[in-house]
Each structure stands twice: as C-alpha cells, then as structure tokens.
Amino acid sequence: MNDVIVDFQNVSRFFEEGRVRALERVSLKIYRGETVAVTGPSGSGKSTLLGLMGALDFPSSGEVKIMGSAITPDAPLARLRNEKIGFVFQQHHLLPHLNLEENVMAPLRPARVPLKEARAKSRELLDRLGLADRADFLPAKLSNGERQRAALARALINDPQLILADEPTGSLDSANGEVVVERLLRAAVGKTLVVVTHNPEISSRMGRVVQILDGRLIET
Amino acid sequence: MMFKNLLRRKLRTLFALFGVALAIAALVALSAVTEGMLLQLKRLATDYRGDVMVQATGVLDPLFSQLPFDTISKLRELPEVKAAYPVVSYLTKVPRLGTAAQNDPDKMRYFLVFALPSGSALLKRHKLVAGNYFSTGMPELILGADAAHQMNLKVGDRLLLSHTQFSIVGIFKTGIRLLDGAAIYSIQEFRRIFSNAKLNLVALDLHSPKTDLTTVIDKINADHTELEALESAKILDHFRHAALFQNFANGLSIIALCIATLGILNVMMMSIHERTREIGILRAIGWPAGMIVKMIVSEAFLLALAGGFLGAWLGWAGTELLISSVDIGIVNALYPPALWIKAAVLTVSVGVIGATWPAWKALRISPLEALRYE
Ligand SMILES: Nc1ncnc2c1ncn2[C@@H]1O[C@H](COP(=O)(O)OP(=O)(O)O)[C@@H](O)[C@H]1O
Ligand SMILES: [Mg+2]
C-alpha cells in the first residue's frame, strides 16, 4: 500500500508567461490501490493537474514523479504513457477514420503486438463494454455513450497501473455514466484511479476526495 | 492507416500526386530527349570528323556555320594537312510519301540532306544495305534506311529534292537516327544546283595528328580571323545548342521538382494541421515520436512514389509519342538506367523533403493543447 504512484512536490503550472496560474505549489502523493476523486469549480486547474499526472505536460516548477519516473521533457514519456497510464478524456477523442476495434487496439501498436492478438484483445474489451456488435463502426456512427465506452476500452487495453479520467461522464446520461464508472472502478482494483468529477455521487464512491480551488489543493 | 489518411482528402491528394507525376514526367522526357540528342550529336561528331574541324568564327553552333568553297583550297595549302573536305547539310521539304505529287503542302515533310564529296572516306562510313554509292555528274542520291521506310522508297525510285529529280541508287544504315532519316548526294551536284552556295564545315585530316594538332589549330586561328578551328574530339563542347538545351532541361526539371515538393509539403502541412487533435491523441496514448514521424513520412512517400511511377510512365509515353510524330530524326530519346535512377532518387527526395517539415511540426504538437479545445 505504500507504493507511491503519483508524487507531486511543490508543483506549479503557469500559462501565458505566468499570467495564468493554473496550479500553485501543489504537493500530493497517491498510492497504489487508491481511488481518488478530484473536484472543484470549472477553471480551477483539475485538467491541468490530470495532464501532469498523465505525463502529457510538464510543471513550470516543482517536481512530478509518476511511478518513480520524473516527468521531464527528456524522459521516455511515450512509453510510460503507453504502458502504464490509461487516460479517458471528457470527449471521447477517438480517431475518426478508424473503426472502434482499430481505435481500441491503437495503443498496442507501439509494442508491436501481433495483429491477431491485438484484434482478439480489442474484441474482448469491446464485448465486456457491450460494444461487440459495434466493433467495425466508425465513431461518427455511434451514440455518445458508445463512443465514451470505446474510449474507455482504449484506455484499459494495456492494463495500465494508473487510470486517469477527466470528467468521463460529463457528456453522458446517467445509465451510460454508470457503466463507465462501474467499469473504471472494476479496472482499478489493485491499480490506481484518479477521476475528475463534479458528480458528488461519483466522488462518494472513491476512497479519497481532493478538492482544488484556484489552483490550490484542499484535501477533504 | 496511411492509405486511409491519404484517401480522406481525395482531391487534394490527387492534386499533389499529379504535381509529382508531372514533374517526374517532365524530368524523364527532357532528360531522355537530351540524352538522345547528345548521343546523336556525339556519334555525328565522331563520324563526321577529320582531326580538325573548321567553322565560321563566332557561330552559335557548327550547323549554322557558312563558309565559301575556296576555304578548302586555302586550308589544303597548309603543309600539315593531308586532306580537306567539305561538309554540307541543309533542311528542305519533300513529299511525305516519296513518289506523291508536290503540290499539296499538307503532304510535305521536313527532310535533312547532306552533301559530301563522292568517293570520300566520310561517305564510305555510311554502310550500304542496298544498291551503290552515287556517281559524279548524275542527279543520284543514297537514302537513309529510316527515310526509305517512312517514305516507302527503294533503290531505283525517284525523289524530287531541291527542284531536282534524283534517282535513288543506294540505301544506307548508320544507326544514327539523324543520318538514317536523311539523304546524301554529291558536293558536285550540290554546287550545280545552288550555284552560289556555301559549305558548313571543313574537315581536315593531318599527316601526324598527334604532333601537329595544336600547331595547325593555332595557325588557322591566327592567320584567318574568319575561321575557327576546333579539335574534333572537343567539337561536342561547341554544340552550344545541346549545352543550352541541357541547361534548359535541367532548369525546367528543377523548377518542376520544386513545385512538386511544395505540393507534397502543402498537402502534408494541411493534413497535419487538420489532424492536430489526432496526432495529440496518438501522443497521448503513447505512440512514440518515431512512429508518428514514420506515419507522416510514409504518407508523403506513398504520394511521391505513386506520382513518380505515374510520371515515369507519362514521361516515357509522351516522349515516344513526340518522337513518332516528328519527321526528322533530330529528336531521339534514350532511357539509360541512370535516367531511371535519377528519377527514382528525385522522387524519393521529393517525398522526404515534402515530409520533413510537416513531421517536425507534428512533433511540436503538445498532446494536452491538441486535446484541450473542441
Ligand atoms: N494551455 C493553456 N494555455 C493557457 N491557459 C490555460 C491552458 N490550460 C489551462 N489554462 C488555464 O488554466 C486554468 C485551469 O484550467 P483547467 O485545468 O482546464 O481547469 P478545469 O479543468 O478545472 O476546468 C484556466 O484558467 C485555464 O484557462
Ligand atoms: Mg477540465
């Protein structure tokens, strides 16, 4: 339980040459097996925080370590993101010209997983998310909920240690939202899950809630 | 995947593809024709050579040189000179089918004619495949095998040429298109038909070419300001037309290639701009930079390659069409392996150059920014 997955020390992130202070001196440790909800008003810095956890961005000052790796521009971040982190965004962000199956197996490409195996894995995940009969559909042909479930399948296909979800149910009705949350929680067993959410019902199902106000952290 | 990306914007992709194809076609056609022409000229220069060639001073091209006939006797006086003989050539028109009437301008074609001294060593280089060489004092000519074939003429037929009815006494074949599409008759007949005609070049054979070559050239150039003596071996350098054409061809090819590169660059830049979000997604799910570069470069490559193949075919087909539609054998094309290698290398370069900047741009895309906005 004392395996540190996310380690922020005095992390600040500024934009527009320091005029926008999205995060200020945030220190935070998240351990293996934790499920964390991040809440706070719009524009308070939640997405910025999650982007740093997902090794998609660098701090302006302070230190970010994810599973022991310092997040700096010269670190092998692509590999870390690919193998250890699964990210679900507020929008589905599927590739529009690939069908669902191809989208879900895209993260397997860097590791050169053989096509047959990749396909089987992709099908299995889609099946578990109730999308078996949608595998060869393009994202444009699907409902919002189906797209978000497919995006979740893509985030989980490499069996990541750290699952990050930025308002994953924001654009969904409650039934689809429930499927996604359910699935996230199940995938997070023995792993680590961080969810940005406005929904108190979802926060209440997480082991820990972290609140952000104007770029500063308030633990509750 | 790269196919899909290219196919997504069919029209734009087609545009770039045709850009590359046209550039490569221009390159292939121009190079093939230049190569063919140079070979013709080279073989012409080696076949029509004395040790020294003399032309009028300052002409752009030996074919435009005009000299009076007494030049020959002047040059024969030089002690080093073993033989001096005139070379004459001119362009005229003949009936497209040799025996047809000459009153319909549509049925006429351009025709290259040479006049050479009968019995000269130069004449004997035109190997006969039928009949005999012409004799002096008679309107007789020998006809190149290509011309005979095109005009459907054979030994014993007649050909109206320069207002004179010539009888065809022999057919020759040299393997040089320019010559095999032409006719040759005697200098004596030429001077009879055109009483105040000039000659084009004087070819000199020397007694001892190795030792006297530069002496003779210097002597002629010093004593006769109206004459320009050239070492035969270097005469090709003096076909300034050929050099000009070659420069022109190269210049045009370079411009075409630049345009093709810009075309690919444009397509790739636009495609990457449109796909900022997608590239951000690929980065976010952990595709390494190399894979993204590879994706972009392969797209550009595929585009360039398809354009290159199409262009090579267009260039070849266009050139062959052109050649078959031109009467005189001046236009000739040659496709040495080096030409195809050049085309291939340039196609690849166009692809690589067209992809480099877009690929670099793509790597600058921050995944977070790309995914931030709708
Ligand atoms: N790339 C950026 N450039 C400029 N400002 C940014 C950028 N990213 C975030 N911000 C600003 O930082 C603040 C926090 O943004 P964000 O983390 O997206 O908030 P949240 O997700 O909590 O709504 C906002 O004021 C936002 O406008
Ligand atoms: Mg946000």
Side-chain angles (χ1 to χ4, degrees), chain A residues 15-16 20 22 41-49 167, chain B residues 369 372-373:
Chain A
F15 295 105
E16 314 286 335
V20 177
S42 173
S44 57
K46 305 181 297 294
S47 293
T48 305
L49 181 80
E167 303 188 42
Chain B
E369 296 233 358
R372 232 179 106 71
Y373 302 99

Side-chain angles (χ1 to χ4, degrees), chain A residues 51 56-57 78 81-82 89 91 93-98 102 106-107 109-110 154, chain B residues 1 4-5 8 277-278 281-288 291 366-368 371 374:
Chain A
L56 297 171
D57 194 16
R81 287 197 291 259
N82 185 243
F89 303 90
Q91 287 100 37
H93 287 322
L94 295 170
L95 296 164
H97 59 289
L98 299 185
E102 290 165 332
R109 287 278 294 271
R154 183 179 66 185
Chain B
M1 178 138 169
K4 281 188 177 170
N5 284 331
R8 267 197 287 172
R277 173 114 57 101
E278 284 167 51
I281 295 168
L282 292 174
R283 306 265 284 152
I285 63 174
W287 274 36
M291 264 175 80
S366 139
L368 205 57
L371 300 179
E374 247 316 68

Side-chain angles (χ1 to χ4, degrees), chain B residues 261-272:
Chain B
T261 308
L262 284 177
I264 292 204
L265 198 71
N266 178 47
V267 168
M268 295 315 295
M269 283 310 274
M270 281 170 75
S271 132
I272 275 157

